[in-house]
Amino acid sequence: MKLQHHIKSTLGWCLSIGIKLLRVVPFTTITVQITTLASQIFLLLAFFLPLKVIILLGSEKIPNYFPSAFQALKKNHLIVSLSVAAAVCYVLYLLSELLIAYCCRQGARTLLLRSAKLNIIENQEKIAAYAYSRFTRAMAGALFFSISAVVLLIIYPKLLAIILGYTALITLLCVITYNLSPVIQVQFQRNHGNILNALSATGFLLSFFCLVADFLYFPHQRIFHAVIAVLVMRQALQRLTGMVQDVVSLRMQHRQINAMFFQSQPLLEQRQNNHQLECLLSPSSREAWVEKLMDQAGIDTQNGLKISWHQIDAVDVYAFHITILGNEKPQEYLAKLFGNNIATLAEQERLLFQYQPHLPSLEWLGHYLLQGIDCHLFRLDGHKKLIRRQIGDGVVAISEQLLYCEPASELILRFSRTRPYLEQRLDRGMIEPLRFVCSTPEEAEKVERLLDSFELIIKKLCALPRQIVSLDITSEALLISASQQYHLSHWSNWRIEAVGSNWPVIEKERFYKAIEIARSSRPSLVNTTTADIVLSAFMYSFERFLLRKDYPAAFKLLDDILAATEAEKPLELRQESAQ
């Protein structure tokens, strides 16, 4: 859409919102307008009067261009009076801002009550008050600019003509530039605030230079009018810029605002369009981009290929099963396309494969860009999805292989700089609510024992070696090879935690066996006790239950957590806890 069409539709939307506010909450809206204008005038005076005081301090007498009413006063009395007036204006400005905030909350609450709707979004009243505040401030900004224009018309019409001419010219140039190129449109949309501030500052400097030139080459009697004109001009341009920024910001949320303030408009969320991705997903264009992908990967497709959908169960990730036909056994590949809004997840998966070998994963063939879309290519030969009875074994098998795998030092370093570990996320405040849901003294006693052992648990978790944890172990992502080896097809959401984390705790016996096998293959586990690794697994599950407020499930883990914690306690600590 061209910029002039955006401006036209935005002006119409602002008009409808303004009529709605004046019709539903007229007194509040008018009060906010008047108070906002008063606030801006007080602020202007609070900065203008100290300037006059500085001029007086630097002169021997009251300058002749000061108003005649000031000439009758003594210089020191005038300095004190202007200083006190500046302080009073600033206090009145602060009081005006408090009144504006109160009126905005009341006005938004009235609008929400009048619309008589269910809660549409979280923190609806706060968001409505914010929207009401910004819109009324934008209205006040427009009114302030209009009044400033009238003042300039009276005291300095030449300056007003320069400002209006500059504003019209810049608006025309912005419209033409915006309509020329999609690249420029993106820059306008992303950096409209910086662009508007730069244009406002440029307009002020241009007008100021014109004013200076006017005074240099043409005679003027009233320099005091020029000082007032400069201050009014600066404030007017700032209010105009603020008004446009407020309107643009509100327009970007117009669906939510319409739904909150208008009875007849439900909340209609705009679907994010990604034309490049939609083009790649289209059946009519799949073969073309798959051939291009395979050509980039150095895979021959002359004998033909077959493409079918492969469900991943990950949001905004789209996968395809690609079979390359040939005289011998067909070759199978998996191509995953990542939406632009989850490019970070694509980078996380790419980073993991770059630094970490020996993962229970499909063979990764590389990362490619297709029309700006991230694509990861894997070799899929012989892999099939699991049937229902294999899923449990598959989850345990992946957990076992991750337990055996020593994380790369580069991954540990990067993760530690980015996210907290389990022991850093845990705190006593998470456990305290368990006290309130205890039904028996025995349950309360277990919670107290856990709290007493909290520092020891944290110490044990800190001392454990690390392991990679995958949060993408789902029935759709689990695959089994022809040799009955379990692998995972998706690795975008991974963490690094204390070894043992994310193990399915119901599989205790297999866990003990896996720990012994891991100890023989990972030197870092040689001096690590089994009880500490088991403690890590239970604390990881314990945290997840607490975050979900599933306190009964968390209670069920207390016996195992306390047993693992106290298994390696020094003798004196065990005796103290028993007492």
Side-chain angles (χ1 to χ4, degrees):
M1 185 186 293
K2 296 185 180 298
L3 183 56
Q4 62 267 28
H5 298 152
H6 280 296
I7 294 174
K8 182 180 178 181
S9 62
T10 300
L11 289 175
W13 179 74
C14 289
L15 182 61
S16 65
I17 291 288
I19 293 173
K20 178 73 174 181
L21 299 186
L22 290 173
R23 185 168 56 84
V24 177
V25 281
F27 176 77
T28 305
T29 302
I30 293 173
T31 301
V32 171
Q33 297 299 302
I34 295 173
T35 310
T36 303
L37 284 175
S39 167
Q40 298 307 316
I41 293 171
F42 289 140
L43 183 62
L44 180 61
L45 290 174
F47 287 112
F48 173 71
L49 294 177
L51 177 62
K52 300 293 101 184
V53 171
I54 292 173
I55 293 174
L56 286 171
L57 290 173
S59 60
E60 296 181 358
K61 62 178 183 177
I62 299 175
N64 293 329
Y65 56 82
F66 271 53
S68 57
F70 291 175
Q71 302 291 339
L73 299 173
K74 292 184 178 181
K75 177 185 170 185
N76 290 343
H77 291 172
L78 183 58
I79 290 174
V80 172
S81 300
L82 292 178
S83 299
V84 171
V88 171
C89 287
Y90 189 72
V91 171
L92 291 174
Y93 161 74
L94 295 177
L95 293 175
S96 299
E97 290 295 314
L98 292 175
L99 179 59
I100 291 168
Y102 173 78
C103 289
C104 288
R105 287 195 299 271
Q106 294 302 315
R109 187 175 293 117
T110 303
L111 285 165
L112 291 176
L113 291 174
R114 184 66 63 89
S115 65
K117 293 184 177 182
L118 301 174
N119 279 353
I120 301 171
I121 51 180
E122 291 293 331
N123 299 318
Q124 177 172 289
E125 189 169 318
K126 185 182 295 185
I127 295 172
Y130 175 76
Y132 181 85
S133 172
R134 294 202 71 166
F135 189 83
T136 51
R137 285 179 182 273
M139 292 172 63
L143 186 57
F144 185 92
F145 182 81
S146 301
I147 295 173
S148 300
V150 173
V151 172
L152 289 177
L153 180 63
I154 296 171
I155 66 173
Y156 212 128
K158 290 182 182 179
L159 192 60
L160 176 63
I162 293 170
I163 293 173
L164 294 180
Y166 172 80
T167 303
L169 178 62
I170 285 300
T171 303
L172 180 62
L173 289 176
C174 286
V175 169
I176 294 173
T177 307
Y178 183 91
N179 295 339
L180 281 178
S181 168
V183 176
I184 297 176
Q185 290 181 15
V186 172
Q187 294 303 318
F188 266 86
Q189 292 165 3
R190 291 180 178 176
N191 304 300
H192 62 270
N194 294 333
I195 293 173
L196 286 171
N197 288 329
L199 293 176
S200 174
T202 304
F204 171 74
L205 289 176
L206 178 64
S207 304
F208 176 74
F209 292 147
C210 291
L211 182 146
V212 171
D214 189 31
F215 267 81
L216 286 176
Y217 296 106
F218 299 95
H220 288 271
Q221 298 297 326
R222 297 183 176 180
I223 189 67
F224 193 74
H225 285 182
V227 176
I228 296 176
V230 168
L231 291 173
V232 170
M233 173 183 64
R234 182 56 178 158
Q235 289 295 318
L237 288 174
Q238 285 183 340
R239 297 302 150 243
L240 181 63
T241 303
M243 180 202 71
V244 175
Q245 290 180 346
D246 285 339
V247 169
V248 170
S249 176
L250 292 172
R251 182 61 176 167
M252 294 170 67
Q253 307 173 52
H254 71 280
R255 288 179 174 81
Q256 288 184 344
I257 295 172
N258 288 348
M260 287 189 293
F261 292 164
F262 291 95
Q263 288 181 335
S264 60
Q265 297 194 29
L267 178 60
L268 300 174
E269 293 290 351
Q270 184 180 22
R271 188 174 67 90
Q272 292 186 348
N273 291 324
N274 188 337
H275 297 296
Q276 291 84 357
L277 181 60
E278 290 178 357
C279 180
L280 294 178
L281 296 178
S282 173
S284 60
S285 61
R286 285 180 191 172
E287 188 168 333
W289 69 259
V290 168
E291 288 181 353
K292 182 179 178 181
L293 171 65
M294 293 302 172
D295 182 60
Q296 292 182 33
I299 300 171
D300 186 14
T301 60
Q302 291 183 355
N303 294 324
L305 51 84
K306 290 171 58 178
I307 308 169
S308 60
W309 181 266
H310 184 99
Q311 185 64 28
I312 286 288
D313 253 10
V315 178
D316 218 15
V317 179
Y318 310 92
F320 294 93
H321 183 167
I322 303 169
T323 304
I324 305 297
L325 304 177
N327 297 327
E328 300 179 359
K329 183 179 178 181
Q331 299 177 353
E332 297 176 299
Y333 299 90
L334 180 68
K336 290 195 301 185
L337 303 175
F338 293 80
N340 288 337
N341 60 324
I342 58 163
T344 301
L345 295 182
E347 184 179 354
Q348 279 195 182
E349 184 173 81
R350 187 161 64 249
L351 185 71
L352 183 64
F353 291 133
Q354 180 181 350
Y355 289 103
Q356 188 65 52
H358 313 305
L359 287 170
S361 168
L362 300 173
E363 182 185 350
W364 190 59
L365 300 181
H367 163 256
Y368 303 92
L369 278 177
L370 300 171
Q371 301 179 25
I373 303 298
D374 289 299
C375 178
H376 290 178
L377 185 63
F378 300 83
R379 192 179 300 279
L380 193 60
D381 290 345
H383 283 82
K384 305 293 181 184
K385 289 197 174 184
L386 277 59
I387 59 178
R388 184 182 294 270
R389 67 170 181 269
Q390 294 176 313
I391 294 175
D393 289 336
V395 171
V396 174
I398 296 296
S399 300
E400 286 176 345
Q401 294 178 69
L402 290 176
L403 191 65
Y404 306 154
C405 181
E406 188 76 46
S409 57
E410 178 68 21
L411 288 181
I412 295 176
L413 183 63
R414 291 197 180 200
F415 185 88
S416 64
R417 292 172 175 173
T418 309
R419 293 180 180 272
Y421 290 123
L422 172 63
E423 62 270 18
Q424 295 170 326
R425 298 193 302 269
L426 291 171
D427 62 69
R428 288 178 171 272
M430 297 174 63
I431 304 173
E432 295 285 349
L434 287 179
R435 286 173 167 172
F436 310 139
V437 295
C438 292
S439 303
T440 64
E442 290 76 14
E443 290 180 346
E445 188 265 341
K446 290 178 183 178
V447 175
E448 294 303 325
R449 286 170 59 194
L450 178 64
L451 289 170
D452 291 341
S453 303
F454 183 78
E455 284 75 15
L456 179 60
I457 292 173
I458 297 301
K459 183 179 179 181
K460 287 175 176 288
L461 294 177
C462 287
L464 286 173
R466 302 293 161 184
Q467 79 159 70
I468 294 171
V469 169
S470 173
L471 306 182
D472 293 317
I473 305 178
T474 65
S475 57
E476 295 291 351
L478 281 167
L479 300 173
I480 189 169
S481 67
S483 59
Q484 302 301 299
Q485 295 295 316
Y486 292 98
H487 294 113
L488 210 56
S489 63
H490 194 57
W491 290 86
S492 291
N493 206 357
W494 56 270
R495 302 285 187 272
I496 292 180
E497 299 287 3
V499 65
S501 297
N502 206 35
W503 181 275
V505 292
I506 59 173
E507 297 286 351
K508 291 184 186 178
E509 296 300 324
R510 296 179 68 172
F511 193 21
Y512 292 130
K513 293 179 182 178
I515 291 172
E516 294 305 316
I517 297 173
R519 190 174 282 116
S520 63
S521 60
R522 286 184 61 178
S524 61
L525 299 182
V526 171
N527 297 321
T528 303
T529 64
T530 300
D532 287 353
I533 300 176
V534 172
L535 175 65
S536 172
F538 281 105
M539 288 304 298
Y540 187 87
S541 297
F542 185 67
E543 182 209 23
R544 293 170 66 181
F545 290 136
L546 290 179
L547 293 176
R548 295 204 302 259
K549 311 298 182 185
D550 188 353
Y551 297 122
F555 265 118
K556 291 179 181 179
L557 299 180
L558 285 183
D559 288 333
D560 293 297
I561 290 174
L562 293 171
T565 304
E566 297 170 355
E568 301 296 328
K569 262 191 181 180
L571 179 60
E572 59 272 14
L573 288 179
R574 281 194 302 228
Q575 290 175 346
E576 289 177 6
S577 62
Q579 294 173 358

